[in-house]
Amino acid sequence: MNTRALSKTDALVKALLVGASSVSVLVVALVLFFLLKEAVPFLSDSGRSTLFSTRWTPVSFQQEVYGILPLLSGSLLVTAIASTIAVPAGIGGAIYIAELAHPIEREILKPVIEVLAGIPSVVLGFFGLVVVAPLVKQVLGLPSGLTALTGALVLALMALPTVISISEDAIRAVPGTYKEASLALGAGELETIFKVVVPAALPGISAAVLLGIGRVIGETMAVMMVTGNAALLTLSPTESIRTITATIAAEMGEVPFGGTHYHALFLLGAILMLSTFSFNMAAMYAIRKAESK
Amino acid sequence: MVNALAWMKEEDPPSNPAKNRRGPMVEIRDLSVYYGDTQALHGVTMDIPDRQVTALIGPSGCGKSTLLRSLNRMNDITSNANTTGEILIQGQRILDPDTDVANLRKRVGMVFQKPNPFPKSIYDNVAFGPRVHGIRDKPALARVVEASLRRAALWNEVKDRLTDSAMTLSGGQQQRLCIARALAVGPDILLMDEPTSALDPAATFRIESLMDELRGDYTIVIVTHNMQQAARVSSLTGFLYEGRLIEFGDTKTIFTTPKESRTEDYITGRFG
Ligand SMILES: Nc1ncnc2c1ncn2[C@@H]1O[C@H](COP(=O)(O)OP(=O)(O)OP(=O)(O)O)[C@@H](O)[C@H]1O
Ligand SMILES: [Mg+2]
């Protein structure tokens, strides 16, 4: 009697949970479906022949060219540089705050990082324009400060709080008994941090890195404001570039509904989504492989 | 400090039966430990003999762990801990500020209450200490790992799965792994703080037999809440009460004819 009642509520709870998780899967599927629905027509359009050209000139008096290569390279370049800065700096900062900082330092640093996390990206864009861009221009002696590097610096600043606070949580969650065991074996404090605590926190740190890089890839406003937005095919950090996100944001408002350009922008969106998706999958696979070792 | 001295004058100092054995491995002299304003140990003086099992018993909060953790200076990591007095290990004053703590902890291993293997492979757990102390040579490491696991009576159970995570072992196996990990750096002394309190009777029995095998080569100090365990495994027993060493002597004597009424009350379960 009792057990039957229990199994009934069990079934109900299970159904609710299955329902909830199906909804999220469904939403992702729907987003992808409509993205693809609007993107696919481009592939049967005459514009498709220009897809791999090195120019993106969707509005032109002569010929419209929808080359995605410069946009891809722009996004890739900015993301790569920003991650190279934000990931080590973020993990290092998290280790410092969690393990080495004096309690007073921690009291100061933590709120500062939280505030940094809360700054709207447009505001960071202003900061990039007014502070970072002139600095990059001056230090590197460039004609313009609106470069891939400037964008990457602003994005790194944006990803940093995410990487720091999630990594720090992960490091602090490592049981103190691991540390005690290591110290009791005669390991030094730094040795213990790097050989025991950080490896034990690695799954959480990886999640922090993924979220941080995810923020970098998806960011639009700030990067649009400080990279100059010239759709150049380049891998030089000191050139102006244009990212996929900035392109979509800048052009979507003015594009005629249902035209080639319109479908091309949806294709860009689909490419963006698929690349973040595969990036996440690859990272997850790498983490799992590292953990099972 | 003042309290401790007053007490020392009032009553007889604890007996030191260790003197007539192989000679002390550890000499503790008037050891007091403070956590901030509270004093956890009051002038403890005792000699711990070489290659014997010494048990520390007493009610919760009486300072057993504090005493144990003084011997490998693990109290150092407690920021508000303060120690006065003297501890000599093989004649060397380990409380001196210029003591090489890493080297001290290499000589004085520790096993904790809850099995705490690292979330690494079985092999890497045992190899951790030797690596910390500079062994890089792979065959040498492998030899140390095997010898330590054999010593901890775990080798046969894990020899085919050394690369598995230590977390896949049972609680009792994990605790023997922790013993192997401690043995791998070649200590003379093994401190065990309630090493079986998280284990079932069968796993407890295995650890106790292991201690029996190890006692010929290591000086073992074990903290336990289990009177039968103290009686079974140790040759000497110290009874601590409110930070003071009330009585210290042959385990048999302590358990059959204790001098102090408080010892008797505790052993017979009248308090604590
Ligand atoms: N880090 C600390 N800060 C302040 N007081 C502490 C600290 N660690 C221990 N104490 C206090 O010191 C006294 C002795 O503690 P200790 O852990 O040595 O007792 P114990 O005999 O091992 O007890 P148990 O049997 O419960 O493990 C207790 O009163 C305890 O509250
Ligand atoms: Mg204790």
Side-chain angles (χ1 to χ4, degrees), chain A residues 177-188 191-192 195-196 199-200 292-293, chain B residues 69 72 74 77 102 105 108 110 112 116-120 128 132-133 167 181-182:
Chain A
T177 56
Y178 294 168
K179 229 163 112 177
E180 281 206 317
S182 169
L183 293 170
L185 286 165
E191 214 169 8
T192 299
K195 288 187 179 161
V196 175
S292 67
K293 253 193 192 163
Chain B
R69 292 164 65 91
N72 62 348
M74 280 300 274
I77 60 173
R105 291 177 186 160
V108 187
M110 189 163 220
F112 297 82
N116 58 353
F118 301 127
K120 300 175 186 286
F128 183 87
V132 159
H133 293 287
M167 299 315 193
R181 182 176 66 183

Side-chain angles (χ1 to χ4, degrees), chain A residues 8 21 40 54 99 106 121 181 192 195 261 282:
Chain A
K8 236 181 197 170
S21 46
V40 163
T54 57
E99 293 289 328
R106 185 160 28 225
S121 64
T192 299
K195 288 187 179 161
H261 188 188

Side-chain angles (χ1 to χ4, degrees), chain A residues 125-249:
Chain A
F126 278 134
F127 175 76
L129 269 182
V130 177
V131 180
V132 184
L135 206 69
V136 166
K137 179 178 165 177
Q138 214 169 37
V139 171
L140 299 179
L142 302 172
S144 158
L146 302 179
T147 63
L149 179 63
T150 316
L153 287 171
V154 172
L155 286 180
L157 205 58
M158 198 173 288
L160 212 50
T162 309
V163 179
I164 291 183
S165 58
I166 297 175
S167 305
E168 198 221 332
D169 286 348
I171 292 170
R172 278 174 157 284
V174 173
T177 56
Y178 294 168
K179 229 163 112 177
E180 281 206 317
S182 169
L183 293 170
L185 286 165
E189 197 187 359
L190 282 179
E191 214 169 8
T192 299
I193 291 172
F194 285 104
K195 288 187 179 161
V196 175
V197 179
V198 170
L202 214 51
I205 292 177
S206 317
V209 167
L210 280 188
L211 281 169
I213 296 181
R215 217 181 150 187
V216 168
I217 297 178
E219 174 50 33
T220 308
M221 279 322 291
V223 88
M224 197 155 107
M225 290 165 78
V226 300
T227 54
N229 292 319
L232 300 174
L233 180 60
T234 175
L235 286 178
S236 158
T238 55
E239 301 250 22
S240 167
I241 53 93
R242 173 175 235 203
T243 63
I244 293 177
T245 50
T247 307
I248 297 173

Side-chain angles (χ1 to χ4, degrees), chain A residues 180-187, chain B residues 25-26 48 54 65 67-74 89-90 94 101-113 116 129-130 133 175 177-195 211 214 217-223:
Chain A
E180 281 206 317
S182 169
L183 293 170
L185 286 165
Chain B
M25 182 69 173
V26 183
I48 296 169
T54 301
S65 298
L67 178 55
L68 206 64
R69 292 164 65 91
S70 300
L71 302 182
N72 62 348
R73 300 253 310 246
M74 280 300 274
I89 293 182
Q90 289 173 325
I94 63 145
V101 176
N103 193 42
L104 168 70
R105 291 177 186 160
K106 185 166 177 274
R107 290 165 55 201
V108 187
M110 189 163 220
V111 177
F112 297 82
Q113 180 168 1
N116 58 353
H133 293 287
Q175 194 63 306
L177 179 67
C178 291
I179 294 173
R181 182 176 66 183
L183 296 180
V185 296
D188 301 315
I189 302 172
L190 211 50
L191 309 174
M192 306 177 110
D193 196 346
E194 303 183 43
M211 290 175 67
L214 293 176
D217 298 316
Y218 299 91
T219 300
I220 298 176
V221 186
I222 178 177
V223 166

Side-chain angles (χ1 to χ4, degrees), chain A:
Chain A
M1 187 58 208
N2 222 345
T3 52
R4 193 176 296 168
L6 199 69
S7 71
K8 236 181 197 170
T9 48
D10 263 13
L12 188 69
V13 169
K14 200 173 167 196
L16 279 174
L17 292 177
V18 168
S21 46
S22 324
V23 165
S24 43
V25 171
L26 199 69
V27 168
V28 173
L30 276 177
V31 168
L32 193 62
F33 172 75
F34 283 104
L35 213 51
L36 288 175
K37 181 170 160 283
E38 296 299 324
V40 163
F42 178 84
L43 298 177
S44 52
D45 190 282
S46 60
R48 70 170 179 214
S49 58
T50 61
L51 193 60
F52 294 107
S53 116
T54 57
R55 281 189 308 133
W56 174 266
T57 47
V59 183
S60 166
F61 293 114
Q62 287 130 32
Q63 198 212 348
E64 283 91 13
V65 181
Y66 303 98
I68 56 168
L69 292 181
L71 308 181
L72 271 179
S73 75
S75 278
L76 212 65
L77 185 63
V78 168
T79 305
I81 301 172
S83 312
T84 315
I85 300 168
V87 169
I91 297 175
I95 292 173
Y96 183 78
I97 294 176
E99 293 289 328
L100 299 169
H102 191 274
I104 296 172
E105 284 178 283
R106 185 160 28 225
E107 291 300 306
I108 298 168
L109 284 171
K110 287 211 71 164
V112 167
I113 287 160
E114 265 150 42
V115 168
L116 191 59
I119 297 177
S121 64
V122 178
V123 175
L124 269 181
F126 278 134
F127 175 76
L129 269 182
V130 177
V131 180
V132 184
L135 206 69
V136 166
K137 179 178 165 177
Q138 214 169 37
V139 171
L140 299 179
L142 302 172
S144 158
L146 302 179
T147 63
L149 179 63
T150 316
L153 287 171
V154 172
L155 286 180
L157 205 58
M158 198 173 288
L160 212 50
T162 309
V163 179
I164 291 183
S165 58
I166 297 175
S167 305
E168 198 221 332
D169 286 348
I171 292 170
R172 278 174 157 284
V174 173
T177 56
Y178 294 168
K179 229 163 112 177
E180 281 206 317
S182 169
L183 293 170
L185 286 165
E189 197 187 359
L190 282 179
E191 214 169 8
T192 299
I193 291 172
F194 285 104
K195 288 187 179 161
V196 175
V197 179
V198 170
L202 214 51
I205 292 177
S206 317
V209 167
L210 280 188
L211 281 169
I213 296 181
R215 217 181 150 187
V216 168
I217 297 178
E219 174 50 33
T220 308
M221 279 322 291
V223 88
M224 197 155 107
M225 290 165 78
V226 300
T227 54
N229 292 319
L232 300 174
L233 180 60
T234 175
L235 286 178
S236 158
T238 55
E239 301 250 22
S240 167
I241 53 93
R242 173 175 235 203
T243 63
I244 293 177
T245 50
T247 307
I248 297 173
E251 295 173 8
M252 203 65 213
E254 295 152 18
V255 74
F257 181 83
T260 311
H261 188 188
Y262 172 89
H263 292 305
L265 291 180
F266 271 90
L267 185 66
L268 284 181
I271 290 172
L272 188 65
M273 183 161 170
L274 289 175
S275 50
T276 43
F277 182 71
S278 34
F279 170 73
N280 277 333
M281 294 297 277
M284 230 108 93
Y285 175 76
I287 293 168
R288 206 157 298 157
K289 213 169 158 194
E291 265 175 51
S292 67
K293 253 193 192 163

